[in-house]
Structure formats: structure tokens, C-alpha cells
């Protein structure tokens, strides 16, 4: 009589589904921001680049036009918004890419930390630096370099801050597409220079070729310059200024959302 061997049944432990972290959490966001700020305190060159370079550039610009102060008045307000945007773009894109290539981003995303928390934390940390940067640059231009504005200097500060936040958002976004810090810097001619040429700084936008004028209408830096010019010419806050400020703020928020959506753990 033969007996058929029975194969032991394999018991599998019940699997517990891990719930992904929510898109945005206040405590995780602030913890990320605090970590980024602690790291930046150990990098004085980055702090100097963020805080001092816009002031130095405005100082040089003022005395380049020492014989014609009205020229400084006409373009100084616009550059007060452009300089913070450029510096925040450079520093944020390189800093975020360094997190990815060093493996820090991989370790962070392995924790219960959502992409939204990470992007918002970076935006909060660099936004705090943007406040300091914009306040110093605005104070230097208005009260030390004699920038003559018709409207309130606080409105200048508001647009400069929005521009810095826009630069932060653009830097976070393009860092997802760069494989090295050198490539991150290479994005500047593609992202920043066309906006710089078409924003109305060198010539009024309505005198450009119609195709270029239409392109400038969808670039956020155009509205940053328009907002600065509104403060330069009008004593009160105008509806055009409110529109320009809202467009710049909306673009910054949209780019931050895109940055969270395109954030990857490793660079290919």
C-alpha cells in the first residue's frame, strides 16, 4: 500500500499595506525646512551669494549710471526684482540637485515624507532667505542708493519677494531634469535669459515683434517687471499691480506643484 506524500501548506504572513504619506503635512514640511536651513548655515558662501550678490549688483548699477541717476531710477526697480529671481534660481537648483546626487533625497523619500512635504519644505526654507534678501536689496536701493519711486517701497518689497519665490520654484522644478550641477547651471540660459530679454527691461513689450510680444505675455518675469513699473509710476496700489502680483504668485505656486509632480529619487 503506497501513501501519497502530502506537501506541507505554506502559510504566508498577512501583508499590511503601507499608506503613503499625505501630499502635504505641516510638521513634516517645517522639519524639512529646518533641516535645509541648518545645512545652509554651514555653507557661508551660499548665504553670501543669496543675501549679498543682489545688493552688490544694485550698488554697481547705481554708480555705473552715476552721471545719469534717472536711468538708474528707470531700470533699478525692475532689476530689484530680477536679481533675486536669478540668484534664488541658481542656488535652489544646485542645492536640490546636490541632495539627489548625494543620496540624501533617496533616504528622505524612503521615510514617511511626501514629495509635497519635501518641495514645500525647500520653498519655505529658501523663502525665509528670500525675505531677508529682498528686504536688504529694497532697503539698499531706496534708502541708500536713492532709487526714486512714486509708490510705496513696501510694494517694491512685495514684488521682489514674489520674484525670489518664483526663482526658488523654478530652481526646484528644473533640478528634476539635470544630472549634474553643471547641467543645472546650463538651464539658466534656457529658462532665465529668454525671460530677461522679453520682459520689457530693454524695450517696451508693445514695440516688439508681435510673435515675441505674445510670447512675453505668458512669461512670469514680464509681470514682475510690469509690477515694479507700476510702483515706480503710481502713488497708490493699482488694479494692474494687483493683477501682476497675483500672476507672479500664481506662477510660483504652479511651478512648485509641477516640481513636486516631477520630483524623482535618483538622477538617471
Amino acid at each position: 500500500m503506497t501513501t501519497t506524500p502530502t506537501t506541507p501548506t505554506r502559510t504566508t504572513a498577512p501583508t499590511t499595506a503601507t499608506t503613503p504619506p499625505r501630499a502635504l503635512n505641516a510638521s513634516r514640511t517645517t522639519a524639512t525646512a529646518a533641516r535645509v536651513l541648518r545645512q545652509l548655515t554651514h555653507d557661508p558662501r551660499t548665504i553670501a551669494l543669496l543675501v549679498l550678490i543682489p545688493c552688490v549688483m544694485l550698488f554697481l548699477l547705481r554708480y555705473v549710471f552715476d552721471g545719469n541717476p534717472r536711468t538708474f531710477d528707470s531700470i533699478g526697480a525692475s532689476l530689484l526684482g530680477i536679481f533675486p529671481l536669478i540668484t534664488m534660481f541658481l542656488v535652489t537648483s544646485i542645492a536640490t540637485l546636490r541632495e539627489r546626487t548625494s543620496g540624501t533625497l533617496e533616504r528622505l523619500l524612503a521615510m514617511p515624507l511626501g514629495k509635497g512635504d519635501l518641495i514645500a519644505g525647500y520653498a519655505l526654507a529658501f523663502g525665509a532667505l528670500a525675505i531677508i534678501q529682498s528686504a536688504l536689496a529694497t532697503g539698499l536701493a531706496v534708502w541708500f542708493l536713492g532709487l526714486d519711486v512714486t509708490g510705496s517701497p513696501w510694494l517694491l518689497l512685495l514684488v521682489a519677494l514674489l520674484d525670489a519665490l518664483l526663482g526658488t520654484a523654478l530652481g526646484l522644478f528644473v533640478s528634476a531634469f539635470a544630472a549634474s550641477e553643471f547641467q543645472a547651471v546650463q538651464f539658466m540660459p534656457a529658462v532665465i535669459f529668454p525671460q530677461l530679454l522679453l520682459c520689457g527691461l530693454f524695450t517696451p513689450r508693445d514695440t516688439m515683434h508681435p510673435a515675441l510680444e505674445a510670447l512675453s505675455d505668458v512669461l512670469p518675469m514680464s509681470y514682475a517687471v510690469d509690477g515694479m513699473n507700476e510702483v515706480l509710476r503710481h502713488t497708490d496700489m493699482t488694479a494692474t499691480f494687483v493683477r501682476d502680483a497675483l500672476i507672479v504668485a500664481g506662477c510660483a505656486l504652479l511651478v512648485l506643484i509641477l516640481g513636486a509632480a516631477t520630483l524623482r529619487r535618483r538622477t538617471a
Side-chain angles (χ1 to χ4, degrees):
M1 181 176 179
T2 60
T3 60
T4 305
T6 59
T7 57
T9 59
R10 181 178 301 173
T11 59
T12 57
T15 58
T16 58
T18 57
T19 304
R22 289 179 298 173
L24 199 61
N25 178 275
S27 61
R28 294 194 295 259
T29 298
T30 53
T32 302
R35 181 188 63 82
V36 174
L37 288 174
R38 283 195 302 270
Q39 288 181 335
L40 287 174
T41 57
H42 300 295
D43 190 354
R45 288 177 296 182
T46 300
I47 297 293
L49 176 64
L50 284 172
V51 175
L52 298 180
I53 291 300
C55 295
V56 172
M57 297 302 291
L58 285 169
F59 187 86
L60 290 175
L61 184 70
R62 166 63 182 85
Y63 290 102
V64 164
F65 297 108
D66 189 43
N68 191 2
R70 294 187 63 85
T71 303
F72 176 72
D73 292 336
S74 63
I75 66 172
S78 299
L79 292 176
L80 183 59
I82 292 174
F83 287 156
L85 189 155
I86 294 174
T87 55
M88 294 303 292
F89 172 85
L90 280 173
V91 173
T92 307
S93 60
I94 292 174
T96 309
L97 183 65
R98 190 177 299 166
E99 293 272 80
R100 183 181 297 111
T101 55
S102 65
T104 303
L105 183 62
E106 182 78 13
R107 294 191 296 270
L108 288 174
L109 291 180
M111 302 167 61
L113 182 71
K115 292 182 179 181
D117 300 318
L118 191 67
I119 291 293
Y122 270 93
L124 188 61
F126 284 104
L129 291 174
I131 294 175
I132 300 173
Q133 179 196 70
S134 302
L136 286 176
T138 303
L140 175 71
V142 175
W143 289 294
F144 184 78
L145 299 179
L147 179 66
D148 186 15
V149 293
T150 303
S152 170
W154 294 106
L155 296 180
L156 282 182
L157 175 60
L158 174 62
V159 180
L161 177 58
L162 290 176
D163 290 343
L165 293 176
L166 177 61
T168 298
L170 289 171
L172 289 170
F173 176 66
V174 302
S175 67
F177 305 99
S180 65
E181 295 180 15
F182 179 68
Q183 285 188 8
V185 175
Q186 285 180 314
F187 273 103
M188 186 173 172
V191 176
I192 300 297
F193 286 179
Q195 297 192 66
L196 188 62
L197 293 174
L198 299 176
C199 68
L201 178 64
F202 301 104
T203 185
R205 292 194 291 126
D206 55 7
T207 63
M208 299 178 184
H209 188 278
L212 295 180
E213 182 183 359
L215 179 60
S216 71
D217 288 339
V218 299
L219 298 177
M221 191 183 290
S222 301
Y223 297 95
V225 171
D226 289 348
M228 288 294 192
N229 289 333
E230 286 293 306
V231 181
L232 194 66
R233 298 165 184 165
H234 302 280
T235 56
D236 299 322
M237 183 187 300
T238 63
T240 302
F241 173 85
V242 174
R243 180 208 65 184
D244 294 336
L246 288 176
I247 289 176
V248 175
C251 288
L253 179 60
L254 175 62
V255 175
L256 281 177
I257 294 172
L258 292 175
T262 57
L263 184 64
R264 296 174 297 156
R265 289 191 175 188
R266 290 189 184 276
T267 303

